[in-house]
């Protein structure tokens, strides 16, 4: 079941929370809504769920307008950041709850409910916890049970609002990989809210980057990371260095040094802001062919799969670079040494019109 929102608007008092927003989540897709706090992610999710009213626009489930359908009729499963399981019920009874309260005519038999709960517990890989109470579970286990409970009533779509938000970093990482695998097996259309770019990049089929009630970009994780449409998306998706410079065909002039930028296509020379990801620098001990920025190594952190290096150029620009452990072994640089920094590539440049 696909979900589509068309030209939706939502105001809270005088505040425009969503403005002319359109988006389609394809059947079976896992789509992440990513954006800073207050960008409208939860508002959008609540409108899709039918928990709030639109001012204008349409929400479609498949090709049917969902406008007149109440939340309970939309066939959505929810998991929130603090999804309170019923404390006085076991894990089994929590998952069975949605089925137990269905009208007698459509309610499955006791036997069917038992099989379904055990099947869901197997799906979330927690069969052994059926008889426990919520307070006897870890945070990560509770969220997986919340997901099983949301799935028990066979939702057509799944809406997840920062489901791992309250968990510590290690558990979050495990659960996001688990969610990815779970989605690959279940193929249930899923809209997933997060403000954590790493989470969105790892889990989603496509990412919607939101800002101030609007969409900045929709694309695959690769698209939004490597081909951001503007500086907001670029900044939001991971570390980036930026320099004020002048761009010419194939060259960026930073602090008086003309650096080669492979493939840089410039109509006519202009002032610009240049954005460079930490892995797009080349660091050498000796001046390379062409030109390079002279920089002082301020800090090296080799702990991890990559090596992180902070540097400061002669003209005062700060650079944060990441290189592989192999490159680091060859370079053998330490704090306070002088190095040469050139550009392998750049991610994005912004034309500055107002500076001569
Ligand atoms: P977060 O990541 O912090 O949860 P979000 O992107 O989910 O943020 P929303 O919760 O959708 O953001 O809120 C968007 C904007 O709308 C915020 O500025 C918020 O203050 C405002 N807002 C949300 N709900 C209401 C409400 N019921 N009344 C008034 N303003 C609201």
């Amino acid at each position: 079941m696909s979900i589509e929102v068309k030209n939706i608007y939502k105001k809270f008092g005088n505040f425009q929370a969503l403005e002319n927003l359109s988006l389609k989540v394809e059947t079976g897709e896992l789509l992440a809504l990513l954006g800073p706090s207050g960008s409208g992610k939860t508002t959008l999710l609540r409108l899709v769920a039918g928990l709030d009213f639109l001012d204008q626009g349409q929400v479609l489930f498949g090709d049917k307008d969902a406008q007149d359908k109440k939340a309970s009729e939309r066939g959505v499963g929810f998991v929130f950041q603090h999804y309170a399981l019923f404390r006085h019920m076991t894990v089994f009874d929590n998952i069975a709850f949605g089925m137990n309260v269905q009208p007698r005519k459509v309610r499955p038999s006791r036997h069917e409910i038992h099989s379904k709960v055990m099947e869901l517990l197997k799906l979330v890989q927690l069969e052994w916890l059926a008889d426990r109470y919520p307070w006897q579970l870890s945070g990560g286990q509770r969220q997986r049970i919340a997901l099983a409970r949301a799935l028990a009533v066979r939702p057509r779509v799944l809406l997840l609002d920062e489901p791992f938000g309250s968990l510590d970093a290690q558990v979050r990482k495990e659960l996001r990989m688990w969610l990815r695998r779970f989605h690959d097996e279940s193929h249930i259309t899923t809209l997933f809210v997060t403000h954590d770019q790493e989470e969105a990049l790892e889990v989603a089929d496509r990412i919607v980057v939101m800002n101030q009630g609007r969409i900045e970009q929709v694309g695959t994780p690769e698209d939004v990371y490597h081909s951001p449409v503007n500086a907001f998306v670029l900044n939001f998706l991971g570390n980036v260095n930026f320099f004020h410079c002048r761009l010419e065909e194939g060259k960026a002039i930073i602090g008086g040094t003309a650096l080669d930028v492979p493939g840089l296509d410039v109509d006519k020379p202009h002032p610009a802001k240049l954005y460079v990801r930490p892995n797009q620098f080349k660091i050498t001990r000796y001046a390379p062919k062409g030109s390079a920025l002279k920089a002082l190594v301020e800090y090296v952190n080799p702990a991890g799969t990559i090596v992180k290096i902070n540097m400061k150029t002669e003209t005062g620009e700060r650079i944060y670079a990441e290189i592989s452990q192999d490159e680091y072994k060859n370079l053998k640089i330490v704090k306070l040494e002088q190095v040469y920094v050139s550009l392998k590539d750049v991610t994005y440049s912004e034309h500055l019109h107002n500076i001569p």
Side-chain angles (χ1 to χ4, degrees):
M1 167 78 60
S2 64
I3 310 167
E4 188 169 8
V5 296
K6 281 188 178 169
N7 307 104
I8 58 170
Y9 289 79
K10 175 71 186 172
K11 253 187 180 177
F12 294 109
N14 288 328
F15 180 74
Q16 192 75 50
L18 296 176
E19 191 171 2
N20 196 15
L21 192 142
S22 298
L23 176 69
K24 185 165 186 188
V25 193
E26 299 294 345
T27 305
E29 188 176 33
L30 199 171
L31 193 126
L33 295 177
L34 176 70
S37 186
S39 55
K41 308 179 295 292
T42 297
T43 304
L44 177 56
L45 208 69
R46 287 176 58 82
L47 291 174
V48 169
L51 295 172
D52 213 337
F53 297 104
L54 304 164
D55 295 336
Q56 221 178 300
Q58 258 188 319
V59 176
L60 302 165
F61 278 52
D63 53 6
K64 297 218 168 61
D65 196 326
Q67 195 86 333
D68 302 328
K69 290 226 158 75
K70 287 191 255 168
S72 55
E73 298 165 344
R74 292 194 184 187
V76 297
F78 272 114
V79 181
F80 298 111
Q81 183 172 346
H82 300 288
Y83 196 69
L85 295 171
F86 301 121
R87 276 182 66 79
H88 61 288
M89 286 185 194
T90 62
V91 161
F92 185 98
D93 290 336
N94 261 285
I95 298 173
F97 179 80
M99 291 182 276
N100 280 331
V101 296
Q102 282 177 322
R104 193 176 288 265
K105 265 193 269 173
V106 290
R107 190 189 313 157
S109 68
R110 276 173 71 98
H111 177 71
E112 282 165 338
I113 291 178
H114 186 273
S115 314
K116 183 72 192 169
V117 172
M118 293 319 289
E119 183 193 315
L120 286 164
L121 275 170
K122 198 165 168 212
L123 188 71
V124 297
Q125 297 160 358
L126 294 174
E127 299 104 300
W128 48 287
L129 292 178
D131 297 328
R132 293 239 191 125
Y133 285 87
W135 45 271
Q136 296 171 314
L137 307 178
S138 73
Q141 289 167 343
R142 268 200 289 266
Q143 289 309 83
R144 275 147 76 183
I145 298 299
L147 195 58
R149 184 163 89 166
L151 291 168
V153 285
R154 297 182 188 280
R156 298 183 299 171
V157 303
L158 202 53
L159 305 178
L160 310 177
D161 194 351
E162 302 263 6
F164 313 138
S166 57
L167 306 172
D168 72 51
Q170 188 55 34
V171 181
R172 276 183 88 116
K173 273 198 179 149
E174 283 165 23
L175 279 189
R176 73 171 80 128
M177 290 328 292
W178 174 85
L179 176 66
R180 182 65 252 177
R181 286 195 300 274
F182 164 77
H183 184 264
D184 287 343
E185 282 165 27
S186 66
H187 299 292
I188 181 164
T189 309
T190 304
L191 199 49
F192 175 75
V193 165
T194 180
H195 64 263
D196 179 338
Q197 42 91 10
E198 206 182 299
E199 192 159 277
L201 289 170
E202 265 186 37
V203 167
D205 294 318
R206 283 189 307 152
I207 295 177
V208 178
V209 183
M210 290 183 63
N211 181 27
Q212 298 186 343
R214 297 182 202 191
I215 293 178
E216 297 280 354
Q217 186 169 3
V218 184
T220 62
E222 204 178 335
D223 278 345
V224 291
Y225 188 82
H226 291 294
S227 311
V229 294
N230 59 34
F232 176 85
V233 175
L234 179 99
N235 272 308
F236 203 71
L237 285 156
N239 281 318
V240 71
N241 296 266
F242 92 88
F243 304 95
H244 279 285
C245 69
R246 190 169 177 79
L247 294 183
E248 294 177 3
E249 189 55 47
K251 293 212 186 291
I253 299 154
I254 301 175
T257 307
L259 294 177
D260 289 323
V261 184
L264 184 70
D265 195 8
V266 176
D267 286 350
K268 56 178 183 192
H270 63 261
K273 267 191 196 170
L274 194 68
Y275 293 85
V276 185
R277 293 268 190 225
N279 62 343
Q280 292 178 320
F281 296 105
K282 180 156 182 60
I283 304 173
T284 49
R285 279 178 156 277
Y286 305 102
K289 266 192 208 158
S291 59
L293 296 167
K294 257 192 207 171
L296 191 73
V297 177
E298 292 192 317
Y299 182 65
V300 181
N301 180 3
T305 48
I306 46 150
V307 179
K308 300 165 189 137
I309 304 169
N310 292 79
M311 294 166 285
K312 190 174 172 187
T313 68
E314 279 183 320
T315 44
E317 281 92 359
R318 295 207 179 265
I319 297 178
Y320 168 70
E322 293 173 353
I323 60 173
S324 69
Q325 292 284 356
D326 282 347
E327 281 174 276
Y328 176 60
K329 271 184 206 139
N330 289 332
L331 259 176
K332 297 191 191 79
I333 49 169
V334 292
K335 198 171 159 175
L336 297 182
E337 268 185 319
Q338 187 186 277
V339 288
Y340 292 86
V341 183
S342 47
L343 296 172
K344 291 195 273 193
D345 205 352
V346 296
T347 298
Y348 185 73
S349 68
E350 200 170 34
H351 197 129
L352 299 178
H353 296 277
N354 51 350
I355 297 176

